[in-house]
């Protein structure tokens, strides 16, 4: 990996005010999923270091909260500027440890940095209220105050943006954060901490603790000094962390699994729908929480859509994300490959037809062919389980009410998409879909300006938008008795 600034790839964890290097004790190798090469090592830390990070964070947060919003905003802005200035290096590190194509990785850096930029602005707009009193001698004031120390746990699929989407609002609100990144992609998180220090973020406010997920997560969820847990990852782990947080009544932010329906109605622009479905399906090799897991196409246009979609998918190039012209990288690990294989085999057994791909890629390792299955049906595993890979399943449907029922028949409620041009249908379907987010005539909806999040088993709370910073504040009601003169 050729970096302009090699110091960004640091084999160390940041625990409070001190860096602990991988050489100082037990360490964990980090590998490139495309080549299997070991990129470096990070320390294998646990509960003791997590406790230290929490304690230092609690102390540092007091002064940070006492600063003006402008002071916090200026430091966040400086962090944003450094992320953009080092975009190429951050992208190279991300591709090396996560596998996505370099262009997509650089895109994630821009997207991730935009949350720091957005919340540098929002920092100055956290407002309370003055409410008319319930008596002539009473005044009601509502204060918005930072919640305090935040525990954060993030996934490997967006190892930069899933962190900044939390750290941005938390720090802007005046909180401190102790982060456990995914074991597969720690270097992206560590590079963010290096740049945060350079931006002038006070020591102790942002820790990156690498090591045992169970031990670090156990301490974050049990320690009473941690007042909020913000988690992005699978629904199963989210539920476990929710239970672990219950004894200390922590505020929760959960960004969990999805199973997005992508619906193409007979009045849609088919070419636009194909373009949107390609993005919604194959971005990050199908490894996003908002991927189109189920593509429903109205029967009268099914064959035309299926042919166009297959031809577009066939043009995607699979390979090492560091190589030019690659559209789709490797899957993160063998477990991910097995999940895709299981969903394909199950679909075939239940009447599905593989019209493209369907096998492990000739490149070996965890590369998998871009795959399209037609004649998909609701009894297939992929209809209810998150595939998290390059498998597109096309379901035919007849009536609008049928596809709404099928789309909503899921434990998940994160993202959904549909293409239609009749404005009454657009309103009817957008209101009927039971999801936190609806893309209408677009397959890409994620942006810091909008509230990202889901309902049902897809989580609690929202990240991004002006709603996002509220998640890191507490409301305090002050009742003032004022004696008449
Ligand atoms: N809703 C969203 O915004 C969003 C975004 C990205 C990914 N996801 C979801 O994340 C999943 C894929 O990511 P993943 O495989 O990293 O998920 P995961 O739940 O396996 O891991 C997520 C994080 O939790 C940690 N973790 C795992 N077990 C833990 C435990 N017992 N205690 C504490 N921490 C623990 C992992 O080390 C990792 O850092 C998919 O379901 C995807 O939909 C959701
Ligand atoms: O995987 C889920 C992320 O939230 C993806 S994105 O925010 O849509 O880029």
């Amino acid at each position: 990996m050729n970096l302009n600034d090699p110091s960004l790839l640091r084999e160390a964890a940041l625990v409070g005010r001190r860096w602990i290097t991988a050489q100082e004790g037990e360490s964990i190798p980090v590998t490139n999923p495309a080549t299997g090469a070991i990129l470096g090592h990070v320390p294998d830390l646990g509960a003791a270091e997590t406790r230290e990070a929490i304690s230092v964070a609690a102390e540092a947060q007091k002064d940070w909260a006492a600063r003006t919003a402008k002071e916090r905003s200026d430091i966040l802005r400086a962090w944003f500027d450094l992320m953009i200035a080092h975009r190429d290096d951050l992208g190279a590190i991300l591709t090396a440890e996560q596998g996505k194509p370099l262009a997509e990785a650089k895109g994630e850096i821009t997207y991730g940095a935009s949350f720091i930029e957005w919340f540098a602005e929002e920092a100055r707009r956290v407002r309370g209220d003055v409410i008319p009193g319930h008596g002539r001698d009473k005044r009601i004031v509502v204060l918005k105050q930072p919640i305090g120390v935040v525990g954060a746990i993030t996934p490997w699929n967006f190892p930069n943006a899933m962190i900044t989407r939390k750290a941005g609002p938390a720090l802007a609100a005046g909180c401190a954060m102790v982060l456990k990144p995914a074991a597969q992609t720690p270097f992206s998180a560590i590079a963010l901490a290096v740049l945060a220090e350079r931006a002038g973020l006070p020591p102790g406010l942002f820790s990156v603790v690498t090591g045992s997920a169970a031990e670090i997560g156990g301490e974050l969820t049990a320690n009473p000094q941690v007042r909020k847990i913000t988690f992005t990852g699978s629904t199963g782990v989210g539920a476990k962390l929710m239970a672990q947080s219950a004894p200390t009544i922590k505020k929760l932010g959960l960004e969990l699994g999805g199973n997005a329906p992508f619906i193409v109605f007979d009045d849609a622009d088919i070419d636009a729908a194909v373009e949107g479905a390609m993005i919604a399906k194959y971005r990050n090799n199908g490894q996003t929480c908002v991927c189109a897991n189920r593509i429903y196409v109205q029967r009268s246009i099914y064959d035309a859509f299926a042919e166009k979609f297959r031809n577009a998918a066939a043009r995607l190039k699979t390979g090492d994300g560091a190589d030019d012209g690659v559209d789709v990288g490797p899957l993160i690990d063998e477990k991910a490959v097995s999940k895709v294989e299981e969903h394909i085999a199950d679909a075939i057994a239940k009447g599905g037809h593989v019209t493209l791909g369907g096998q492990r890629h000739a490149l070996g390792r965890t590369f998998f062919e871009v795959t399209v299955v037609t004649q998909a049906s609701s009894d297939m595993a992929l209809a209810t389980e998150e595939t998290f890979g390059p498998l597109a399943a096309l379901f035919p449907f007849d009536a609008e009410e049928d596809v709404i029922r099928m789309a909503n028949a899921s434990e998940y409620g994160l993202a959904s998409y549909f293409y239609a041009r009749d404005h009454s249908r657009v309103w009817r379907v957008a209101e009927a879909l039971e999801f936190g987010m609806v893309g209408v005539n677009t397959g890409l909806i994620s942006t810091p300006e909008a509230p990202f999040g889901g309902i049902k088993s897809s989580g609690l709370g929202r990240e991004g938008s002006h709603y996002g910073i509220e998640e890191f504040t507490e409301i305090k009601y002050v009742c003032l008795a004022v004696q008449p003169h």
Side-chain angles (χ1 to χ4, degrees):
M1 191 185 338
N2 297 317
L3 301 178
N4 298 314
D5 180 352
S7 71
L8 288 175
L9 187 70
R10 185 173 293 187
E11 293 183 89
L14 179 55
V15 177
R17 292 187 173 83
R18 66 187 180 113
W19 287 94
I20 298 175
T21 64
Q23 292 69 31
E24 290 174 48
E26 293 292 312
S27 68
I28 305 167
V30 182
T31 58
N32 180 329
T35 65
I38 291 181
L39 299 169
H41 294 76
V42 292
D44 187 1
L45 306 178
E49 293 85 3
T50 306
R51 255 190 309 280
E52 178 186 342
I54 292 166
S55 171
V56 171
E59 198 52 40
Q61 190 264 336
K62 295 188 180 86
D63 172 68
W64 182 241
R67 297 194 184 197
T68 65
K70 181 67 167 56
E71 287 173 279
R72 293 197 293 270
S73 175
D74 288 346
I75 289 171
L76 287 174
R77 177 75 207 192
W79 193 16
F80 163 75
D81 291 338
L82 286 170
M83 287 176 69
I84 296 299
H86 293 277
R87 181 173 177 267
D88 290 351
D89 282 354
L90 295 174
I93 291 170
L94 199 156
T95 288
E97 62 179 1
Q98 195 272 343
K100 67 180 67 174
L102 192 54
E104 240 185 274
K106 291 179 182 177
E108 182 184 338
I109 301 305
T110 302
Y111 172 59
S114 71
F115 285 100
I116 302 301
E117 179 188 38
W118 173 263
F119 286 106
E121 298 157 358
E122 287 299 296
R124 301 175 68 187
R125 289 167 186 78
V126 177
R127 299 187 181 95
D129 290 304
V130 176
I131 298 171
H134 46 299
R136 291 185 177 196
D137 62 340
K138 294 294 183 302
R139 303 294 183 269
I140 297 174
V141 174
V142 175
L143 304 180
K144 294 272 184 69
Q145 295 181 312
I147 198 164
V149 175
V150 176
I153 299 174
T154 52
W156 52 262
N157 65 334
F158 285 81
N160 175 283
M162 294 305 96
I163 294 171
T164 58
R165 202 164 75 179
K166 299 172 185 302
L171 294 169
C175 298
M177 180 170 279
V178 177
L179 164 70
K180 189 208 80 69
Q184 302 93 326
T185 55
F187 288 127
S188 291
I190 293 162
L192 280 172
V194 170
L195 293 180
E197 271 188 337
R198 293 184 194 171
L201 190 70
L205 271 183
F206 182 53
S207 287
V208 179
V209 184
T210 58
S212 161
E215 271 201 44
I216 298 166
E219 183 60 32
L220 288 174
T221 51
N223 192 308
Q225 286 187 296
V226 173
R227 295 314 315 139
K228 173 173 172 128
I229 290 291
T230 176
F231 170 73
T232 296
S234 64
T235 294
V237 173
K240 187 184 292 185
L241 296 174
M242 189 173 187
Q244 289 175 201
S245 301
T248 49
I249 313 291
K250 290 176 174 44
K251 197 167 185 177
L252 292 172
L254 300 175
E255 292 287 354
L256 306 179
N259 188 314
F262 186 107
I263 306 167
V264 186
F265 287 100
D266 57 13
D267 63 318
D269 174 335
I270 293 183
D271 291 326
V274 167
E275 185 181 349
M278 287 293 293
I279 295 169
K281 178 65 257 181
Y282 295 113
R283 182 163 67 101
N284 197 19
N285 200 6
Q287 301 172 116
T288 91
C289 57
V290 293
C291 271
N293 216 71
R294 302 170 277 162
I295 300 174
Y296 296 99
V297 184
Q298 204 148 20
R299 204 173 296 278
S300 62
I301 60 165
Y302 185 89
D303 291 343
F305 179 91
E307 183 183 4
K308 286 174 180 281
F309 182 85
R310 182 212 172 279
N311 293 341
R315 289 193 287 271
L316 294 176
K317 182 184 176 189
T318 299
D320 185 330
D323 294 344
D324 289 342
V326 166
D327 302 302
V328 176
L331 290 172
I332 192 68
D333 56 25
E334 273 298 328
K335 184 180 158 196
V337 174
S338 299
K339 180 80 170 289
V340 175
E341 288 180 318
E342 285 161 18
H343 279 189
I344 293 171
D346 173 76
I348 293 168
K350 294 170 182 172
H353 302 156
V354 176
T355 61
L356 181 70
Q359 304 292 331
R360 288 175 179 251
H361 198 280
L363 288 171
R365 297 191 56 73
T366 59
F367 291 98
F368 202 91
E369 294 175 343
V370 169
T371 299
V372 179
V373 168
T374 59
Q375 299 309 318
S377 55
S378 297
D379 60 331
M380 293 177 182
L382 56 77
T384 54
E385 296 172 6
E386 190 176 36
T387 303
F388 234 59
L391 166 57
L394 275 55
F395 297 65
F397 76 90
D398 295 303
E400 184 181 303
E401 52 271 21
D402 296 338
V403 76
I404 294 293
R405 186 184 70 263
M406 289 189 286
N408 288 338
S410 170
E411 68 167 299
Y412 296 106
L414 190 59
S416 58
Y417 311 86
F418 70 91
Y419 276 68
R421 286 184 281 197
D422 177 280
H423 76 279
S424 294
R425 166 172 278 170
V426 166
W427 274 105
R428 284 198 307 271
V429 175
E431 290 172 342
L433 287 170
E434 296 169 358
F435 293 84
M437 302 179 282
V438 183
V440 181
N441 295 323
T442 179
L444 188 58
I445 57 180
S446 306
T447 179
E449 288 84 355
F452 186 105
I455 60 175
K456 302 197 279 187
S457 292
S458 291
L460 297 171
R462 294 297 184 270
E463 295 188 337
S465 80
H466 59 282
Y467 296 99
I469 200 164
E470 300 290 336
E471 302 273 351
F472 292 92
T473 64
E474 284 290 12
I475 287 173
K476 178 179 286 175
Y477 155 42
V478 180
C479 182
L480 297 159
V482 177
Q483 298 310 324
H485 185 57

